[in-house]
Structures are given as C-alpha cells and as structure tokens.
Amino acid sequence: MKNPAKFNFLSLFKLVKSMSMSERIYFKKFASVNSPIEEGEFVKLFILLEGMKVFDRQKIEDIFDVNKQRSKINQAGLSLNYQLLGAMRAYNSHISIDTELKDSLRDMELLYIKGHYVQCKKLLEKAKKKASRYERLDRIIELLEWERKLVSKYIGIEHQAMFMRKIFDDLGEVLEKKLNLYQLELCFNVKYSMIKRYNMIRSEEDLQRWKKLTDTSVVLDGLIPLTFMGEIYQHFIN
C-alpha cells in the first residue's frame, strides 16, 4: 500500500513563526475553548513549533507515538493549521471591531462639533450595541461619556437627573466588569508565567513548590466571571 504524502510542516512552522506574541497567546486561549478535547495535541505541537529556532521535522515525529501511522501525524498538522487560521481570523476581527468603534467615536465628535446632535445620537446607539455585543469595555466607557454629553441636547431639564443616574449606573457596571476581568487576567498571567519558568518537575517537593507559586485561590475565592473573556481566563486557570 502506498504511503500517504508527508504534510508540509515547514509551511506550518513558518506560519507559527510569523505570528505576533499576542496572536500566539490568543491561539492558546482559542484552542482551549473551541477544541477542548483535542487541545493537548494542538498545544503540544504548537509549542514545539513555537520553540524551534530551526525547522526540524524529526522532532515533530518524535512527539507522536512511533507506532502511529503517517496519516495520523499528517492529520495533526492539518488540524493545527485549521485551528491557527480560525484563531487568527477571530483575533483580527477583534481588532477590526475596535477600529470600527474608534471610527464611530471620531465621527460622533465631528457631528457634535457641527451641531448634528440627532445624527450623533443615532450613531451612538448603533456603536453601543456593537460595543456591548463584543464586550469592548473601554469603548463602552467612552460611549457612555458621549451619552452624558448628549443628555442636555435632547432631554428636558426636568428629566436629565434620571437619565444621568442611568448612565452612572451603566458606567459602574462596566467598571465592575473591568475589575473582574483584571483579576482573572492577573491570575492567568501568574499561572502562565510560572508554567513557562518551572516546566520541569522532578520530585514531590518540586510539585508542592510549583503549586504554592501558582496558587491564585485568594484572588479567585468566590470570583465569578462577568465577561466571556473572563470565562476563558477562568477555564485556563482551572
């Protein structure tokens, strides 16, 4: 029986090496959420390629069971390539959404300066929906500030206090989400840094020391994620 052709791991290696650090971190989060069952295989192969200074196919074959058919190794390469492209699409769409919202904020400023308050308000409402949908907390804060500025332009003086209280309540909710996200991100960064620094555990003593260094239970005690990104951090931490 004819052996299947070898997968082009060199191209995959070049793809990994072309990724920015932010894209690499995002991929690991993406893989844990979108493919939790196969996550170990993907991340293991990804970390190997990421750590290579010079491409070495033999190292790739060595991480798989020597008894595995070549088709299995090829499938691992194909699957990782598929996951990488999916992660980069998601990551770059994240950037494009933020760019769109920044453009909306600039347009609102121009409309406000020109006195087109009705158009400014319509653009604000549209941007708020998008920012809320994609959990762009920083942009939501900026949009709430614009909403505050616009209150006096379309709300009667007798009702302004009520609208301002609603804006302040919304702002408090967003700030609570940001603090919650920062706490989870801190725990993730501590654990990730320790895993990279102390990845060789040779004894029970080393294991206990590692557990102590990566213990984030004080920060996480009773902490419930308030955003989707917070849920991703919690998944990784646990």
Side-chain angles (χ1 to χ4, degrees):
M1 181 179 175
K2 187 177 179 181
N3 288 329
K6 288 184 177 181
F7 175 76
N8 189 355
F9 278 99
L10 178 58
S11 294
L12 188 58
F13 168 73
K14 289 178 178 178
L15 175 61
V16 171
K17 286 298 186 181
S18 70
M19 295 169 71
S20 67
M21 184 56 67
S22 297
E23 286 175 325
R24 295 178 191 188
I25 292 171
Y26 185 86
F27 165 72
K28 292 169 187 175
K29 298 173 187 174
F30 181 91
S32 72
V33 172
N34 290 276
S35 301
I37 297 174
E38 304 94 340
E39 178 195 348
E41 288 280 309
F42 288 136
V43 175
K44 183 168 64 173
L45 182 54
F46 176 81
I47 290 173
L48 177 67
L49 292 169
E50 184 184 27
M52 282 184 186
K53 292 184 179 179
V54 180
F55 178 71
D56 186 343
R57 184 183 172 91
Q58 188 57 50
K59 286 184 178 179
I60 296 170
E61 295 184 353
D62 288 346
I63 69 169
F64 291 96
D65 187 335
V66 292
N67 295 318
K68 275 191 176 181
Q69 297 177 356
R70 182 182 294 170
S71 60
K72 297 290 185 181
I73 299 175
N74 288 351
Q75 185 58 46
L78 287 166
S79 299
L80 177 58
N81 188 68
Y82 176 81
Q83 289 293 321
L84 282 173
L85 293 174
M88 286 195 289
R89 278 196 304 272
Y91 177 79
N92 286 289
S93 71
H94 175 98
I95 294 173
S96 65
I97 292 297
D98 218 44
T99 301
E100 285 180 31
L101 291 169
K102 286 179 180 178
D103 288 342
S104 294
L105 285 161
R106 294 188 190 100
D107 292 344
M108 284 165 55
E109 185 172 13
L110 290 171
L111 290 168
Y112 186 86
I113 291 170
K114 298 290 185 181
H116 299 296
Y117 305 125
V118 174
Q119 288 176 270
C120 190
K121 180 69 168 61
K122 286 180 180 178
L123 187 57
L124 170 68
E125 293 300 327
K126 186 177 178 181
K128 274 182 65 181
K129 286 180 182 178
K130 182 170 287 188
S132 298
R133 179 182 176 187
Y134 292 98
E135 292 186 338
R136 300 299 191 268
L137 302 182
D138 290 335
R139 301 290 83 80
I140 293 173
I141 291 170
E142 292 179 86
L143 290 165
L144 286 171
E145 178 60 20
W146 271 105
E147 189 167 14
R148 182 194 65 77
K149 288 175 70 173
L150 283 168
V151 163
S152 63
K153 307 300 181 184
Y154 68 95
I155 301 295
I157 189 70
E158 67 277 11
H159 299 300
Q160 285 184 19
M162 180 181 67
F163 276 84
M164 292 296 282
R165 280 196 297 272
K166 174 66 168 63
I167 292 169
F168 294 149
D169 287 344
D170 289 347
L171 181 59
E173 185 179 323
V174 176
L175 291 173
E176 184 183 2
K177 287 181 179 180
K178 279 184 72 69
L179 176 60
N180 177 271
L181 185 60
Y182 287 156
Q183 289 172 305
L184 288 161
E185 186 178 13
L186 171 64
C187 294
F188 168 78
N189 288 338
V190 167
K191 210 146 200 174
Y192 184 72
S193 298
M194 290 299 106
I195 289 171
K196 288 193 74 174
R197 188 176 300 177
Y198 304 103
N199 59 356
M200 297 294 287
I201 297 174
R202 300 180 180 84
S203 65
E204 182 65 27
E205 185 180 346
D206 286 347
L207 178 60
Q208 294 307 315
R209 179 167 173 267
W210 183 85
K211 285 182 177 180
K212 187 176 180 180
L213 286 169
T214 59
D215 182 19
T216 55
S217 58
V218 175
V219 179
L220 287 176
D221 186 30
L223 191 65
I224 299 172
L226 300 177
T227 61
F228 178 66
M229 184 57 72
E231 291 177 9
I232 293 176
Y233 281 135
Q234 188 184 55
H235 174 84
F236 252 87
I237 293 163
N238 294 333

